[in-house]
Amino acid sequence: MRARVIYNPTAGRESLKRQMIDILGVLEAGGYEASAFATTPKPHSAKEEAVRAAKAGFDVIIAAGGDGTINEVVSGLSPLRKRPKLGIIPAGTTNDFARALNIPRNDLVKAAEVITHNEAIGIDVGQCNDQYFINIAAGGYLTDLTYEVPGKLKTAFGYLAYLVKGAEKLPQVKPIMMRIEYDKGVFEGLASMFFIALTNSVGGFEQIVPDANLTDGKFSLIVIKTANLFELMQIANQMLIGGKHLNNPNVLYVKTRYIKASAIDGSKLMINLDGEYGGDAPAVFRNQQQRLKIFANLKDYPQVTANDDRLKQVEEQFRQGMSELNGE
């Protein structure tokens, strides 16, 4: 069995690069003939290497880095007829996809060990026009946060960097006249943003899609039908307390295999795919059910609980924002 690690040498403050020998050692001990490829600044470096390695007959391709590196590898493998199994070693800012697969996010070597357990499951992949995504697609205001937050800020502060930038941009949010078609209906009206999720985790927040299913062939579509600052803060607050935002009258929530999104008032509707700019609408999204087999940690699931310090901290910041809006 041959495994090719495609890694971003700058990820995790270069901790991934420093631990690569240990990671390869774990894979070798697990029965793999392992080798590594360091991505370069050249556009689509990881994607091109994923295609090359797959065609060269590697049994396993391992994406090591942040969600952007994972997206590139997924984009390289998904169109192929013969697709190797995929492993994930998370070393990015939020590591949303690794979080959904219960892969250790604070120990790169333990993440590599998950691959040696040989527990692979079929995972849905999203297709947007001729591009692919594995975690989330989005459009509208605030969905550009992932490429507006400076890289150094993301490295230093992680998901809190998005929170700060989001709070800064909230007063600028404006509605866009959108038309969003899905399996059993059409939404046409003013909305500030929409999300098309494959997993439950977005930007480090794990309650956006509490009932996400990675294998059922359906997207979770969320449309935010307001740009009012108070109402947006209310939705964000509900999001942090068990997914109650899904019952908010300003939120459309459906499960669907197909989506077509477009702006109908001449506005520019930018599309975000796994944190990267994916072009402008109109865009057609299709769910490729269980397109890739990916190694996951099927035991020791780290549930988020009320005692989670990170969740408490973010909840408190949103509650403070709500209090200020209410004049308390």
Side-chain angles (χ1 to χ4, degrees), residues 93-94 99 145 149-150 153-168 203-205 309-318:
T93 303
T94 57
R99 186 190 308 270
L145 288 179
V149 176
L153 192 62
K154 286 191 285 187
T155 299
F157 296 104
Y159 75 97
L160 285 176
Y162 296 119
L163 187 65
V164 171
K165 189 67 176 180
E168 174 188 314
F205 302 111
D309 290 338
R310 179 174 55 82
L311 183 56
K312 280 185 175 181
Q313 183 180 18
V314 178
E315 278 186 338
E316 180 58 29
Q317 288 173 334
F318 272 113

Side-chain angles (χ1 to χ4, degrees), residues 14-283:
E14 299 191 356
S15 61
L16 183 57
K17 180 179 179 180
R18 293 193 297 270
Q19 296 184 63
M20 188 50 59
I21 291 178
D22 293 333
I23 290 169
L24 293 175
V26 165
L27 296 172
E28 292 278 353
Y32 289 100
E33 179 185 331
S35 58
F37 171 85
T39 60
T40 69
K42 176 185 174 183
H44 311 303
S45 172
K47 178 181 178 180
E48 292 176 359
E49 174 58 16
V51 173
R52 187 207 67 78
K55 292 182 176 180
F58 280 84
D59 303 285
V60 173
I61 307 296
I62 299 167
D67 290 334
T69 301
I70 295 171
N71 174 270
E72 278 204 39
V73 173
V74 166
S75 296
L77 298 182
S78 292
L80 302 179
R81 293 185 62 184
K82 184 178 180 180
R83 299 177 293 277
K85 291 180 180 178
L86 176 62
I88 303 295
I89 298 178
T93 303
T94 57
N95 301 310
D96 282 315
F97 188 59
R99 186 190 308 270
L101 294 176
N102 314 323
I103 296 171
R105 291 168 285 115
N106 298 314
D107 191 322
L108 302 178
V109 175
K110 285 191 177 298
E113 290 175 356
V114 169
I115 298 166
T116 67
H117 298 161
N118 201 32
E119 296 175 336
I121 57 177
I123 295 293
D124 298 347
V125 173
Q127 183 174 358
C128 173
N129 296 338
D130 59 351
Q131 301 182 76
Y132 295 86
F133 61 101
I134 196 70
N135 189 53
I136 191 167
Y141 283 89
L142 297 185
T143 59
D144 56 356
L145 288 179
T146 49
Y147 36 85
E148 282 201 4
V149 176
K152 290 183 179 179
L153 192 62
K154 286 191 285 187
T155 299
F157 296 104
Y159 75 97
L160 285 176
Y162 296 119
L163 187 65
V164 171
K165 189 67 176 180
E168 174 188 314
K169 293 191 65 174
L170 268 178
Q172 306 169 26
V173 174
K174 298 178 181 178
I176 299 172
M177 184 64 75
M178 299 183 189
R179 178 179 174 87
I180 302 179
E181 304 172 30
Y182 51 94
D183 285 352
K184 296 182 179 180
V186 177
F187 167 81
E188 189 170 301
L190 290 172
S192 56
M193 66 196 84
F194 67 85
F195 300 95
I196 300 171
L198 288 160
T199 76
N200 68 327
S201 183
V202 180
F205 302 111
E206 299 172 76
Q207 298 294 319
I208 290 183
V209 186
D211 61 346
N213 187 316
L214 304 178
T215 65
D216 66 354
K218 295 181 180 179
F219 296 119
S220 298
L221 169 64
I222 298 176
V223 181
I224 308 299
K225 300 184 291 183
T226 180
N228 178 274
L229 181 58
F230 176 83
E231 292 173 342
L232 288 173
M233 291 294 291
Q234 183 184 53
I235 291 170
N237 184 60
Q238 292 174 336
M239 186 187 302
L240 294 165
I241 51 177
K244 293 184 178 180
H245 61 294
L246 300 183
N247 298 318
N248 190 298
N250 287 312
V251 174
L252 168 68
Y253 179 64
V254 296
K255 299 287 188 178
T256 180
R257 297 177 183 274
Y258 167 88
I259 298 164
K260 182 177 180 181
S262 56
I264 56 177
D265 64 352
S267 299
K268 181 178 181 179
L269 183 56
M270 300 171 66
I271 304 299
N272 181 313
L273 302 176
D274 286 342
E276 302 295 332
Y277 176 58
D280 298 334

